[in-house]
């Protein structure tokens, strides 16, 4: 592993492996809805789309055809806190692939005709998400628990903001956020080191620092009951608790706690709510982690006739967790965590993504062995402490989407269940 910082503060990491016949390159930018305003909400995601429409050297078709003719793959996605562009190609084609990728990002043409066309695409994407009750439930949940913060805004933006964007908006935003202090470039696999560095310098060496590093304000968790009616066969429910940010020391005990509680077929929630009672098809728990904020979520989808029983049983399991969790639960969960980590890292794109994410948000590489060592050190007492600290039913937020009951009815169910 080689970490290089260019004269303009752009960080580059190279992980060369001669035993494979392909390479994967990625560009991370600290740009997402977390850093937007109500007026430009969705612009980070729109930029992710619009750069594929053409650069100063290539049309959108030439970008697509150029990747196809060398058998390369290119894609991108936007989160609330970063945008990630990446390409994968055979070792002897990777320089051609990154030339296209870097050109798209650094020299987008931003034609108004392309912008208008892509508005239609993104408005359809918004409509698609609005038709998916699970997406709606997830977005409503985050909008509610992070109310008053940009972290509560949707990644896609709104119909109004998306429809309002012009070339000027994109150029002003990219000048502020597509800057070296908010960017990471990484390459892993089989490639020529010096040739790759020359290509990176060619496209990004002239970028200037703008004194706009990745920064954030801490965000408080807001509890409440949040409902949205939709014409669906099932109701989608999310129980959320205040959690931890990305860099918190309680991460590994809490991850073990989540595995025991609701991740996987042997978890407490899955065994009781699905296998024994047959109330849901699936039930899950996970951690939502951001810079300076986070939450714990338990989600399920079920028919209206099963809601009260499922909610009550779920709360009972949360209430009794610290009394019922065992050493065996902890050991199984730790093994599952380690196994999933190692298996995911054997995928080049997953490995690259983890490395870039680590450098962007932690300022260093967190090696797999360090993570595994911390997981192995988690003890039963650590899991119990984490559960007592974070699974506070009195501070829980409740979100439901679908053929929902009244707010008073849900409050009654919750109050009776919590006691």
């Amino acid at each position: 592993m080689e970490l290089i910082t260019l004269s303009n503060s752009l960080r580059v990491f190279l992980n060369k492996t001669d035993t494979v016949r392909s390479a994967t390159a990625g560009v991370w930018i600290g740009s997402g809805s977390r850093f937007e305003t109500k007026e430009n909400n969705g612009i980070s995601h729109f930029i992710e789309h619009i750069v594929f429409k053409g650069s100063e050297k290539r049309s959108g078709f030439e970008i697509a055809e150029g990747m196809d003719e060398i058998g390369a793959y290119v894609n991108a996605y936007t989160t609330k806190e970063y945008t990630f562009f990446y390409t994968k190609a055979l070792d002897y084609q990777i320089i051609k692939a990154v030339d296209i990728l870097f050109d798209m990002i650094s020299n987008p043409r931003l034609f108004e005709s392309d912008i208008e066309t892509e508005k239609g695409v993104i408005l359809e994407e918004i409509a698609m998400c609005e038709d998916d009750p699970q997406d709606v439930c997830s977005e409503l949940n985050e909008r509610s628990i992070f109310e008053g913060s940009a972290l509560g805004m949707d990644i896609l933006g709104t119909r109004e903001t998306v429809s309002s964007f012009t070339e000027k908006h994109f150029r002003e935003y990219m000048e502020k956020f597509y800057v070296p202090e908010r960017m990471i470039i990484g390459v892993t696999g089989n490639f020529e080191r010096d040739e790759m560095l020359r290509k990176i310098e060619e496209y990004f060496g002239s970028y200037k620092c703008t004194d706009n590093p990745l920064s954030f304000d801490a965000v408080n968790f807001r509890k409440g009951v949040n409902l949205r009616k939709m014409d669906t066969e099932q109701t989608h429910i999310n129980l959320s608790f205040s959690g931890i940010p990305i860099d918190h020391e309680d991460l590994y005990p809490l991850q073990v706690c989540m595995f025991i509680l609701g991740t996987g077929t042997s978890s407490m929630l899955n065994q009781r709510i699905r296998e024994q009672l047959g109330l849901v098809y699936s039930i899950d728990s996970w951690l939502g982690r951001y810079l300076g904020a986070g939450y714990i979520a338990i989600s399920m989808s079920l028919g209206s006739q099963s809601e009260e029983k499922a909610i009550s049983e779920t709360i009972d399991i949360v209430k009794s967790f610290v009394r019922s969790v065992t050493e065996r639960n902890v050991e199984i969960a730790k093994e599952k965590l380690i196994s999933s980590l190692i298996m995911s890292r054997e995928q080049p794109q997953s490995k690259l993504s983890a490395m870039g994410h680590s450098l962007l948000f932690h300022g260093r590489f967190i090696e797999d062995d360090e993570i595994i060592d911390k997981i192995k050190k988690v003890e039963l007492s650590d899991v119990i402490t984490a559960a007592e600290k974070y699974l506070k039913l009195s501070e829980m937020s409740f979100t439901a989407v679908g053929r929902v009951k009244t707010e008073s009815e849900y409050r009654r169910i919750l109050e009776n269940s919590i006691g």
Side-chain angles (χ1 to χ4, degrees), residues 36 38-43 46 122-123 126 130 143 153-165:
E36 298 168 354
K38 289 182 179 179
E39 291 71 31
N40 69 7
N41 182 209
I43 196 168
F46 204 133
I122 295 174
L123 290 174
I126 291 173
E130 290 174 343
R143 197 178 307 136
M153 296 194 301
D154 296 344
I155 295 169
L156 301 185
T158 68
R159 295 178 183 276
E160 292 73 27
T161 56
V162 167
S163 299
S164 72
F165 294 142

Side-chain angles (χ1 to χ4, degrees), residues 91-100 192 195-196 199:
D91 49 8
Y92 64 92
Q93 300 285 21
I94 189 62
I95 288 297
K96 292 180 181 178
V98 297
D99 186 77
I100 297 173
E192 291 295 329
E195 191 176 18
M196 184 63 68
K199 190 62 67 176

Side-chain angles (χ1 to χ4, degrees), residues 240-284:
S240 295
F241 308 84
S242 181
I244 59 173
I246 283 176
D247 57 352
H248 202 280
E249 61 183 7
D250 290 338
L251 171 59
Y252 301 105
L254 202 49
Q255 280 187 326
V256 172
C257 180
M258 288 301 99
F259 264 75
I260 297 168
L261 182 65
T263 304
T265 56
S266 68
S267 67
M268 292 178 176
L269 288 171
N270 189 76
Q271 282 296 306
R272 178 61 177 165
I273 310 300
R274 184 190 193 279
E275 298 299 331
Q276 295 178 15
L277 299 177
L279 298 174
V280 300
Y281 176 72
S282 64
I283 186 167
D284 197 10

Side-chain angles (χ1 to χ4, degrees), residues 241-373:
F241 308 84
S242 181
I244 59 173
I246 283 176
D247 57 352
H248 202 280
E249 61 183 7
D250 290 338
L251 171 59
Y252 301 105
L254 202 49
Q255 280 187 326
V256 172
C257 180
M258 288 301 99
F259 264 75
I260 297 168
L261 182 65
T263 304
T265 56
S266 68
S267 67
M268 292 178 176
L269 288 171
N270 189 76
Q271 282 296 306
R272 178 61 177 165
I273 310 300
R274 184 190 193 279
E275 298 299 331
Q276 295 178 15
L277 299 177
L279 298 174
V280 300
Y281 176 72
S282 64
I283 186 167
D284 197 10
S285 66
W286 75 93
L287 301 179
R289 295 185 298 129
Y290 297 103
L291 293 166
Y295 65 95
I296 298 165
I298 298 171
S299 63
M300 66 186 91
S301 301
L302 68 172
S304 58
Q305 73 281 358
S306 302
E307 284 183 51
E308 182 165 359
K309 178 68 171 174
I311 293 168
S312 177
E313 290 286 344
T314 297
I315 289 174
D316 280 346
I317 290 170
V318 173
K319 286 165 63 175
S320 64
F321 182 86
V322 297
R323 299 191 306 273
S324 57
V325 64
T326 66
E327 291 277 7
R328 178 168 171 76
N329 293 145
V330 172
E331 292 307 311
I332 290 173
K334 286 159 61 175
E335 194 63 30
K336 286 166 65 180
L337 268 171
I338 293 170
S339 174
S340 62
L341 171 70
I342 293 173
M343 289 182 182
S344 69
R345 294 297 195 261
E346 292 184 351
Q347 303 298 319
Q349 183 187 322
S350 174
K351 178 70 173 178
L352 181 78
S353 179
M355 292 164 69
H357 186 276
S358 176
L359 188 57
L360 183 65
F361 289 111
H362 299 279
R364 69 181 184 93
F365 295 118
I366 301 178
E367 299 292 342
D368 292 348
D369 287 344
E370 178 184 344
I371 297 172
I372 292 169
D373 182 60

